[in-house]
Amino acid sequence: MQRDRGWLIYGTGRMASKLSGRAHSEGLDVTIAGRNIQHGQAIADEHGITFMELALDRPYDASAALERFTGIINTAGPFSATTRPILELCLKHGLSYVDLSNEHITHQAVWAASPQAREVGVTFVPGAGLGTLGAEILAREASAALGAIQEFFIVLPRRDARSSTPGVRDSAAHILATPPPEPNEREPRAPPPPGAPLRAASPGAPPPTAR
């Protein structure tokens, strides 16, 4: 089938809205997708684009429609919950993948899946527009090394006074809850088996939920 529908932006939060609005204003063909119909349709109406319902636990509902796209841009955090199922969709349907993740565990999963992507003839790019990943990993490593840190602050310059979105807060929590890899584990780890979520290996850490 001819891929004539541009890119699918997955997520119905603030970043999805900003990205889809800017892409559409530049003349790019984008469609917004997600499980939250109300938020997704509101974004679509605001920017004059199309919304497509896509629940990651029911991807077969949109399987035929996905064949029309060139790739998926994942904006929905925590990415430890959304990366794996979207990567599987991309490999199944021959779609390229881009995300905005600051979670190093998902970067490793995307890197590990890159050989499969090359075989399919698509490209996987984690961490586009990389933000606080480096600072959050540094804080986590410092905490593990010093062992006595009660709290720490990561200062982010912002253009407005709005607080971080729930997805951003969930992503940061998963980054900081993940134990630092051992020196011999610095190479990208293989992703978990199909259907298994990527999650922080920390006792008591809340399980992620796909968005």
Side-chain angles (χ1 to χ4, degrees):
M1 181 180 293
Q2 184 180 4
R3 301 187 186 278
D4 58 357
R5 295 290 298 171
W7 284 77
L8 188 72
I9 298 176
Y10 183 81
T12 56
R14 191 167 68 200
M15 288 306 301
S17 179
K18 288 185 176 181
L19 182 59
S20 59
R22 178 61 181 269
H24 182 65
S25 70
E26 295 289 336
L28 301 179
D29 187 0
V30 293
T31 297
I32 195 82
R35 65 178 185 176
N36 191 315
I37 299 175
Q38 181 179 1
H39 288 179
Q41 191 60 58
I43 293 173
D45 293 343
E46 178 183 359
H47 301 300
I49 59 178
T50 301
F51 169 72
M52 184 179 80
E53 184 181 2
L54 175 59
L56 296 182
D57 57 348
R58 303 191 314 274
Y60 45 81
D61 290 351
S63 183
L66 290 173
E67 297 291 341
R68 299 178 295 167
F69 294 98
T70 298
I72 298 177
I73 301 174
N74 181 14
T75 71
F79 292 90
S80 52
T82 59
T83 296
R84 160 56 57 187
I86 295 180
L87 288 180
E88 291 176 355
L89 286 176
C90 288
L91 290 173
K92 178 180 179 180
H93 297 284
L95 307 176
S96 290
Y97 174 85
V98 180
D99 69 35
L100 312 182
S101 176
N102 282 320
E103 301 172 43
H104 74 282
I105 190 171
T106 65
H107 285 224
Q108 291 176 320
V110 175
W111 296 332
S114 290
Q116 294 171 272
R118 286 193 291 270
E119 290 179 4
V120 176
V122 296
T123 302
F124 286 178
V125 181
L130 186 63
T132 59
L133 173 65
E136 289 167 332
I137 291 180
L138 177 62
R140 187 203 62 196
E141 298 257 1
S143 178
L146 299 176
I149 295 179
Q150 297 293 322
E151 62 180 358
F152 55 85
F153 298 91
I154 298 176
V155 180
L156 303 176
R158 303 188 63 84
R159 295 181 180 177
D160 54 52
R162 288 179 295 180
S163 61
S164 296
T165 64
V168 171
R169 291 193 295 271
D170 287 346
S171 290
H174 281 284
I175 292 168
L176 299 175
T178 306
E182 297 298 325
N184 61 350
E185 293 183 357
R186 297 291 178 174
E187 294 299 319
R189 301 176 185 175
L198 300 172
R199 53 183 303 182
S202 174
T209 56
R211 293 173 178 265

